[in-house]
């Protein structure tokens, strides 16, 4: 077996894919992290304290997972959805009744979206209550708040797209709140909706925000957020004083 | 010409002396005196496995949820027919509930903005690196958080009920200007409720960490209470009902 693994990982094909051998020794386990674009956000070594489940509850990772689920299901939904007042609703009905697994696809997207908002809020609470915002992690906390607002924006803009009564009136109520801002209120509302009330212009704008601008923003800020976790010395659990036995 | 070696004492070029005192530096020692032995593991494969397991868990949970409950889809949007109640998405129900208790500019713009600014400012208000990485930092921090949370869980529903059944803007209509009934009174009442635990805490010489613990807990629990009230307890006409006893067959879950 080990002979086979050795021959396999020394083959020219493997070597062209990966610049490390089979990761069963410290050197190759380090190289996995440093030579792979998906792994390089991780440190080579992590402290056992930061891996404790009761410390982080895995909420940051779960937020990212829901975001990935949303990206995949969202991309698939885009194949069936046209953001026009005439077609949006019937597209959703068609998706649910005619497209194989269409209802499941939409359900997955909807429930992941709710889960993501919930988990991101819980993640913020976890970071606050463990004091993980303290120096040198102040700026990463600020990025986290930005990500929370982007998450709310992504969910809110997506809420309009089915173009049913629920969507229409939720966005009407939600955007009317913006109009109460004393100086710029009506300007902000008109800017969001592209007109005095929710219509085709609003649907176009919410669609563009929902499938492009906000997800790109989330992807970008999340990358910085995770990168900074590493740069600031991993999870704050590493800074915790030693437990006295 | 031979110079007196004593004048060069600290900077001697003598071959016998290879070290010299240049400066005294304050700071932590370069050796990690306070730390135990490094307790680390290779991130591969441990962290990778944890991430795969979490992905499987979340994926299965979502799949199970999606197989058992369908996403809601009502009639096609009709601008001429208002739904009753007309509710924002659940995470904005706290805001919509706030609107019931005062002037919209105060409740939906000023107070939420102050909350977001406070949350952004937390690491700059409490900027000591001490106590990071530990839940509630100290036992006292844990007690403070628990007491504040319990207080908020009691005070905020009470405020919502009182304000709902004795609304100052209705009872004082024509007696005092709207400005007083809708802005001054809610600011004073909410101000007292929210700041009371902080005032009590300030008498015990708290640390910055304890102050932000109280304020954040107060705001966070209040936001949760308002969101739950708006989502579960508001029915037709945006009136208060028990969630399982809504008139007209309305269920709060329709609005997910």
């Amino acid at each position: 077996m080990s002979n086979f693994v050795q021959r396999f990982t020394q083959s020219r094909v493997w070597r062209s894919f990966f610049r490390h051998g089979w990761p069963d020794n410290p050197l190759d386990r380090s190289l996995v992290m440093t030579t792979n674009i998906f792994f390089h956000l991780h440190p080579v070594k992590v402290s056992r304290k930061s891996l404790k489940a009761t410390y982080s509850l895995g909420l940051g990772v779960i937020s990212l997972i829901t975001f990935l689920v949303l990206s995949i299901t969202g991309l698939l939904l885009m194949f069936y959805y046209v953001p026009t007042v005439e077609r949006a609703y019937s597209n959703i009905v068609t998706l649910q009744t005619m497209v194989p697994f269409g209802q499941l696809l939409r359900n997955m997207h909807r429930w992941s979206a709710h889960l993501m908002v919930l988990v991101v809020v819980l993640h913020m609470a976890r970071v606050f209550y463990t004091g993980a915002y303290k120096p040198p992690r102040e700026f990463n906390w600020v990025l986290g708040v930005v990500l929370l607002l982007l998450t709310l924006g992504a969910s809110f803009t997506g809420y309009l797209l089915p173009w049913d009564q629920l969507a229409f009136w939720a966005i009407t109520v939600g955007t009317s709140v913006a109009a109460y801002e004393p100086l710029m209120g009506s300007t902000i509302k008109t800017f969001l909706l592209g007109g005095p009330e929710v219509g085709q212009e609003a649907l176009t704008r919410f669609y563009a925000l929902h499938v492009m601008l906000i997800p790109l923003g989330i992807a970008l800020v999340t990358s910085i957020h995770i990168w900074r976790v590493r740069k600031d010395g991993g999870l704050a659990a590493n800074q915790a004083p030693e437990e006295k036995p | 010409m031979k110079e007196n070696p004593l004048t060069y004492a600290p900077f001697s070029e003598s071959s016998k002396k290879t070290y010299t005192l240049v400066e005294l530096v304050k700071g932590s020692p370069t050796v990690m005196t306070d730390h135990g032995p490094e307790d680390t593991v290779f991130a591969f494969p441990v962290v990778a496995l944890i991430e795969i397991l979490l992905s499987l868990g979340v994926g299965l949970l979502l799949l199970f949820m999606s197989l058992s409950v369908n996403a809601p889809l009502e009639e096609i949007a009709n601008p001429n027919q208002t739904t009753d109640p007309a509710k924002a998405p659940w995470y904005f129900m706290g805001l919509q509930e706030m609107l019931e208790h005062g002037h919209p500019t105060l409740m939906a713009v000023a107070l939420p903005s102050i909350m977001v600014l406070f949350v952004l400012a937390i690491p700059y208000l409490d900027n000591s690196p001490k106590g990071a990485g530990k839940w509630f930092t100290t036992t006292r921090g844990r007690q403070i958080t628990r007491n504040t949370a319990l207080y908020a869980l009691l005070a905020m529903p009470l405020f919502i009920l009182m304000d709902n059944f004795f609304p100052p803007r209705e009872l004082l209509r024509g007696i005092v200007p709207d400005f007083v009934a809708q802005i001054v009174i809610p600011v004073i009442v909410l101000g007292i409720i929210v700041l009371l635990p902080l005032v009590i805490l300030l008498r015990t010489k708290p640390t910055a960490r304890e102050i932000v613990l109280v304020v954040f807990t107060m705001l966070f629990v209040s936001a949760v209470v308002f969101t739950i009230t708006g989502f579960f307890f508001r029915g037709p006409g945006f009136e208060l009902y028990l969630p399982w006893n809504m008139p007209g067959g309305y269920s709060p879950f329709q609005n997910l």
Side-chain angles (χ1 to χ4, degrees):
Chain A
M1 178 66 193
S2 65
N3 194 22
F4 171 75
V5 164
Q6 204 165 27
R7 281 191 57 184
F8 183 62
T9 55
Q10 282 172 357
S11 71
R12 290 174 63 148
V13 178
W14 172 280
R15 280 284 161 189
S16 73
F17 276 44
F18 301 109
R19 296 189 172 151
H20 56 77
W22 194 251
D24 57 359
N25 58 77
L27 175 64
D28 286 320
R29 283 180 178 177
S30 311
L31 287 172
V32 167
M33 291 305 180
T34 52
T35 63
N36 183 310
I37 189 168
F38 300 109
F39 277 131
H40 91 286
L41 286 168
H42 300 80
V44 168
K45 296 187 92 177
V46 290
S47 82
R48 283 182 202 276
K49 276 191 282 190
S50 64
L51 288 179
K52 233 177 124 187
T54 51
Y55 174 74
S56 74
L57 310 173
L59 292 167
V61 176
I62 295 175
S63 323
L64 182 62
I65 293 168
T66 53
F67 178 66
L68 293 178
V69 171
L70 284 162
S71 306
I72 296 165
T73 53
L75 199 73
L76 292 173
L77 286 170
M78 281 174 75
F79 284 108
Y80 294 97
Y81 179 80
V82 181
T84 62
V85 169
E86 293 79 28
R87 292 187 59 188
Y89 183 78
S90 61
N91 281 165
I92 302 287
V93 174
T94 310
L95 175 84
Q96 293 189 164
T97 50
M98 313 282 279
V99 177
F101 301 108
Q103 176 81 61
L104 182 71
L105 184 64
R106 180 166 175 250
N107 292 353
M108 287 280 277
H109 197 72
R110 185 87 169 193
W111 303 137
S112 323
H114 287 331
L115 185 68
M116 182 174 173
V117 176
L118 188 68
V119 172
V120 167
V121 170
L122 292 176
H123 178 53
M124 181 185 75
R126 190 287 286 173
V127 169
F128 174 78
Y129 284 115
T130 54
Y133 57 81
K134 285 163 166 279
R137 297 182 178 79
E138 308 100 305
F139 184 63
N140 223 8
W141 168 266
V142 174
L143 289 180
V145 177
V146 171
L147 280 171
L148 170 64
L149 298 176
L150 283 174
T151 305
L152 292 176
S155 185
F156 185 66
T157 49
Y159 213 84
L160 180 65
L161 303 188
W163 201 251
D164 61 343
Q165 280 288 72
L166 191 62
F168 183 87
W169 291 103
I171 302 309
T172 302
V173 170
T175 48
S176 68
V177 169
Y180 293 125
E181 210 277 320
L183 300 173
M184 306 266 292
S186 56
T187 317
I188 296 172
K189 190 183 163 188
T190 313
F191 183 72
L192 273 175
L193 296 183
E197 51 203 34
V198 180
Q200 178 59 56
E201 291 75 17
L203 187 57
T204 310
R205 285 177 189 208
F206 274 47
Y207 183 71
L209 287 170
H210 184 74
V211 303
M212 189 53 78
L213 199 57
I214 297 177
L216 274 180
I218 292 181
L220 178 71
V221 182
T222 304
S223 310
I224 307 173
H225 193 63
I226 298 174
W227 177 75
R228 292 244 358 178
V229 171
R230 258 196 75 183
K231 291 291 162 183
D232 294 341
L235 302 196
N238 300 339
Q239 263 79 34
E242 303 293 329
E243 301 263 333
K244 300 222 164 58
Chain B
M1 195 178 127
K2 212 176 176 189
E3 287 181 56
N4 182 358
L6 285 177
T7 57
Y8 288 100
F11 305 107
S12 169
E13 288 171 21
S14 155
S15 59
K16 286 181 185 166
K17 193 179 177 196
T18 57
Y19 58 92
T20 175
L21 178 68
V22 177
E23 196 179 31
L24 287 170
V25 185
K26 281 185 181 171
S28 54
T30 49
V31 281
M32 303 213 299
T33 46
D34 290 340
H35 297 263
E38 197 178 287
D39 190 17
T40 56
V41 290
F42 275 99
F44 190 92
V46 179
V47 176
L49 272 175
I50 291 174
E51 285 166 1
I52 289 171
L53 284 177
L54 275 176
S55 306
L56 284 174
V58 173
L60 281 176
L61 177 83
L62 285 170
L63 186 66
F64 182 74
M65 175 86 188
S66 302
L67 285 171
S68 42
V69 190
N70 280 342
L73 187 70
E74 295 184 356
E75 299 296 301
I76 189 166
N78 182 357
N80 300 317
Q81 194 196 336
T82 319
T83 55
D84 187 27
K87 285 189 178 182
W90 66 269
Y91 37 83
F92 287 148
M93 281 319 293
L95 276 181
Q96 206 179 335
E97 177 62 37
M98 296 265 283
L99 283 172
E100 293 295 301
H101 303 279
H103 193 278
T105 306
L106 170 74
M107 290 301 188
V109 182
L111 293 183
S113 306
I114 292 172
M115 275 177 76
V116 172
L117 286 178
F118 166 75
V119 169
L120 281 171
I122 285 174
Y124 305 96
L125 297 172
D126 168 28
N127 56 9
S128 148
K130 278 208 176 107
K134 194 166 185 301
W135 278 90
F136 309 105
T137 300
T138 56
T139 318
R140 191 172 123 101
R142 184 184 294 269
Q143 285 165 353
I144 287 171
T145 306
R146 190 187 54 213
N147 293 347
T148 313
L150 285 175
Y151 164 77
L153 274 178
L154 204 72
M156 280 301 162
L158 218 68
F159 166 78
I160 291 172
L161 283 174
M162 288 294 287
D163 193 72
N164 188 67
F165 292 113
F166 308 102
R169 59 212 158 273
E170 306 291 334
L171 299 175
L172 298 175
R173 195 185 299 272
I175 303 171
V176 294
D178 280 354
F179 171 77
V180 176
Q182 295 190 12
I183 295 183
V184 177
I185 294 177
V187 165
I188 293 174
V189 174
L190 279 175
I192 291 173
I193 295 177
V194 170
L195 296 177
L196 185 69
L198 185 64
V199 172
I200 295 172
L201 180 79
L202 284 174
R203 297 159 63 98
T204 65
K205 293 219 176 86
T207 61
R209 169 70 170 153
E210 288 166 353
I211 292 175
V212 293
L213 271 176
V214 161
V215 179
F216 182 88
T217 306
M218 193 66 219
L219 296 179
F220 188 70
V221 175
S222 304
V224 172
V225 168
F226 273 79
T227 306
I228 288 177
T229 309
F231 184 79
F232 286 107
F233 291 87
R234 290 285 179 183
F238 217 67
E239 299 291 327
L240 283 180
Y241 294 100
L242 291 173
W244 52 88
N245 205 11
M246 291 280 177
Y250 168 73
S251 155
F253 290 103
Q254 275 168 235
N255 284 71
L256 269 178

